[in-house]
Structures are given as structure tokens and as C-alpha cells.
Amino acid sequence: MSLQEVLRSNGDEGVERELKEKLRLHSDASPVKCTRQQEQRCLSDHGIVDARERFMQAYGRLRDDLVGDDSCDLTDDARRWLAQMIDYNVPGGKLNRGLSVIDSYLLLRQGSEVTEDDFFLACVLGCFKHVLYYLMISWTIHIPGEIRFVGTGDLRFFNPSSRWTQGEKPYFIDLLDVWNEVALQTSLGQMIDLIGTHTGADDLTKYSIEGHVIHLPNLSIELDSDAAHIQYRRIVKYKTAYYSFYLPVANALLLSGAKLEDFSGLKDILIEMGIYFQIQDDYLDCFADPNAIGKIGTDIEDHKCSWLIVQALGHADNNQIEVLHKNYGKKDSSSVSEVKRTYASLDLKDIFSEFERRCYNHLVTSIEAQKDHAAREILKSFLKKIHQRKK
């Protein structure tokens, strides 16, 4: 049964409680069994605290190697600017994008020795993934007091085909393939999102979840093909799910000697989890406390094809649709307030809560169906981090 079918089915709170107990996602996780040498570099989620510190040590080594690279005759000023630019953009926040590679790798390697070199390679790939977010996704690089445009060529700064991952490693070609694939998927997802922003500005009714024709009350709208409208799931699948959820686990699998084709079920669940994560982001952009998430959401002002606007269009009456058309995508605070009032009148908070409950139940069931123990543990770790998150 697909996720969509599950979400359309009747929920059962008793089943939800049973599933939560089954996975123990709200109890203290058991510590990872590490060797003495590994104790200081395992996951904070498993009771050991300085994976971040080890990750940052690896990051410093990568940055210094890059800035000091003598293959290009850079001036001292250029090297200082490069170091400043990298330090300003990369190491902030919780580093979840980079640490997820290490999390997954250590779970896969439980019971076996992880050498210093192996751990460093996991950190390298975590750094690559963390930088991918800033270079591939945002397309701009910020340094104090100014913003600089970055083209795709700048991805060579942190690329898995670098000297740090080359050599005799048997997984190198597969690693490069998956990075190229995900980089393409992510950039195309970003492109679809940007196109959708402009298309939706002309006609909100072109926003849909999966490309189905939108039937609005008393409005005659005929959408003959997928090309006629902006599909939300397609955007978030390629823009968010592949690089945020699938890529770190694919990296960890390859580092541990596994074949990606043996874990197709794992990939499918991670993609669904990534879609769930982005829907949470859309919800929090509108309804979360800005002090909690560290920013003021702007999806309404930016005319984004957000999960909330798609849901609103599907539940609104004629008057509410008119309000949304008139105010969505406007920069003034009064228009934003009108949209948020419409969201509130449509009970989108309750709709989201029901979606999250059913989505969680489906993911838990899918995780338990995985035969590989390490795969189940990785998926549990991801789901525990994002379920009912507030920021």
C-alpha cells in the first residue's frame, strides 16, 4: 500500500500507540557498542557526545588543504577570502546534514572496528554533503557584509572525486555515481521549485500535490497534462528528499562495502521521510515561533508552492479562494495576515496533525518490514529526529 493510500485510510490511535511502543522511538536509545578507540567519536544520539567535535576537526583539515592547495597560484588575499567564505557558510548550526553520514556509517559498522582512516572518510563525505546544501541549493555564498554569486563550477571545491576519496577504495566509482546523480536531482528540484514560484504567481490553481486536476468550487478549470501544473511532491522529492535523506545513507552503505541495489526498500522509505520532512518545514514556516526556528517564514510572501497553499486550495470555498488569489505572494504584512487567517479558518493545523499521525504510522510499519537490522536502526534514527519536531 502506498503512502497516499495509507493517508486516505481511516486512522487508529490504538495502532499508533502500539507502533510507537514497538519502535521505542520515544524512549532512551540504547548506546552503540563501540570499541574503546571509537567511544569519543560515536553519535550524541546514542549517549556519546563528540561526533560534532571530530567532524569539525575533519572539516578544518579539508578547509586547510583546500586553501593551501598550490595547484593554483592564488594570492594571499584570495586565500584569506576563500577561508573566510568557507568558514562563514559551512560550520554553523547543528551540522545535521553532515553528521547524518557519520550517524548512518557507525550504525552500519556496529560490532566491527572503525579505523581512523575510515572514520575520516565518513567525515569527508559528511563535509561534502554539508557544503552541497550551501553551494548547490542556495547558489550564493555569503561573507560578512556582502553576498557573492557562486556558479556550478564552484562545486569542485568540495567534490567526492577529490584526492581525499580517491585511491584504491573499491567503492569510489559507485560513490561518484551517486553524488553526480543526487547533485543533478537536487538542482533540477530547485529549478522546478523556482519555475513553480513564477507559474503560481500567474495562476494559483496550477499548484497540486501530484498533478491531479484541481476541482475548485464553481470554477471551470481544465488541466490536460502534468505540464499544466506544479506538482508539490515532485518538487520536494528532488529538491529535498534525495540529498537530505537518501544521500547520507547511500554514502554510508558504500563506505561499509554494501551494494545500493540491495537496499532499494531503504531508499524508498528515506524518500518518503524526506517528503514528510519538507511538509513539516512548510508547516513550521507559517505556524512555528520564529524564535524557536531561528527565522521568520516567508513562503507566503515568496509565492512558494507550499504544502499549506495546496491544502488550502483543496479545502477552500469560493470566497476563501478569492482571498488567497488576492493576497498570496504579496510582500505586505496585511496580505500575509489575510492568508494566515484563511489557513486558520480552514483548520490547516488539524489537517497537518492528522497527516503527520498517519504518515508516522506508515513509516513505522515500513521500517519494521525491513529485514536488515542495521537498515531498521538507521531509519529509526532518522525518524526519531524528525517526528513532531518544532524547528
Side-chain angles (χ1 to χ4, degrees), residues 7 10-13 16 352-362 387:
L7 295 181
N10 292 326
D12 186 336
E13 294 183 1
E16 180 183 12
F352 171 78
S353 295
E354 178 65 9
F355 159 80
E356 185 165 48
R357 184 180 71 82
R358 294 185 180 183
C359 183
Y360 174 83
N361 288 352
H362 172 74
H387 180 53

Side-chain angles (χ1 to χ4, degrees), residues 180-213:
N180 286 336
E181 177 188 5
V182 172
L184 176 62
Q185 290 164 331
T186 306
S187 59
L188 290 177
Q190 179 75 356
M191 180 190 71
I192 297 170
D193 185 31
L194 293 173
I195 291 172
T197 299
H198 293 290
T199 303
D202 297 328
D203 186 357
L204 272 183
T205 61
K206 291 182 179 180
Y207 287 163
S208 66
I209 289 290
E210 292 186 273
H212 302 303
V213 174

Side-chain angles (χ1 to χ4, degrees), residues 118-130:
D118 287 342
F119 187 82
F120 177 71
L121 283 176
C123 289
V124 169
L125 292 173
C127 286
F128 290 153
K129 181 175 178 292
H130 198 72

Side-chain angles (χ1 to χ4, degrees), residues 30-189:
S30 300
V32 173
K33 295 179 180 179
C34 301
T35 66
R36 179 172 295 180
Q37 290 79 14
Q38 290 170 251
E39 285 182 354
Q40 293 305 307
R41 57 181 185 257
C42 290
L43 315 180
S44 58
D45 277 356
H46 297 273
I48 304 172
V49 296
D50 70 346
R52 178 189 174 100
E53 180 181 345
R54 298 285 304 214
F55 179 79
M56 289 305 300
Q57 290 173 358
Y59 160 76
R61 176 177 166 186
L62 295 173
R63 178 206 56 215
D64 292 346
D65 282 357
L66 172 62
V67 174
D69 192 337
D70 59 5
S71 62
C72 183
D73 188 19
L74 296 178
T75 66
D76 289 343
D77 284 344
R79 293 186 192 279
R80 281 193 294 270
W81 186 91
L82 182 59
Q84 181 189 22
M85 179 266 290
I86 296 170
D87 281 340
Y88 187 79
N89 285 275
V90 178
K94 294 180 290 185
L95 298 177
N96 283 340
R97 294 181 180 89
L99 289 173
S100 59
V101 178
I102 303 169
D103 292 6
S104 301
Y105 180 60
L106 291 177
L107 286 169
L108 287 167
R109 292 293 302 273
Q110 284 189 69
S112 61
E113 176 71 25
V114 177
T115 67
E116 289 289 337
D117 287 344
D118 287 342
F119 187 82
F120 177 71
L121 283 176
C123 289
V124 169
L125 292 173
C127 286
F128 290 153
K129 181 175 178 292
H130 198 72
V131 175
L132 176 65
Y133 172 75
Y134 293 101
L135 295 189
M136 178 64 78
I137 309 306
S138 68
W139 298 97
T140 57
I141 284 296
H142 299 257
I143 63 173
E146 57 184 315
I147 298 176
R148 300 286 179 89
F149 174 78
V150 174
T152 55
D154 293 280
L155 287 172
R156 68 184 181 275
F157 286 164
F158 283 85
N159 189 292
S161 63
S162 71
R163 59 186 175 277
W164 296 298
T165 51
Q166 288 189 36
E168 301 301 321
K169 301 297 184 182
Y171 50 74
F172 172 70
I173 297 300
D174 290 336
L175 192 64
L176 187 56
D177 284 346
V178 76
W179 267 83
N180 286 336
E181 177 188 5
V182 172
L184 176 62
Q185 290 164 331
T186 306
S187 59
L188 290 177

Side-chain angles (χ1 to χ4, degrees), residues 232 236 274-290 292-293 295-300 304-312 328 339-340 343-344 346-357 386-391:
Y232 177 81
V236 301
I275 294 171
Y276 166 40
F277 178 86
Q278 184 59 55
I279 291 173
Q280 288 177 316
D281 256 12
D282 291 357
Y283 175 84
L284 294 172
D285 182 271
C286 179
F287 292 113
D289 179 357
I293 63 175
K295 64 177 182 178
I296 298 174
T298 60
D299 282 357
I300 294 173
K304 288 293 185 181
C305 181
S306 161
W307 185 83
L308 292 174
I309 189 61
V310 174
Q311 292 298 318
Y328 198 75
V339 173
K340 289 186 176 182
Y343 285 175
L346 292 169
D347 297 323
L348 288 193
K349 286 187 176 182
D350 291 339
I351 292 172
F352 171 78
S353 295
E354 178 65 9
F355 159 80
E356 185 165 48
R357 184 180 71 82
I386 67 173
H387 180 53
Q388 293 184 335
R389 64 190 179 95
K390 303 302 180 184
K391 58 181 181 179

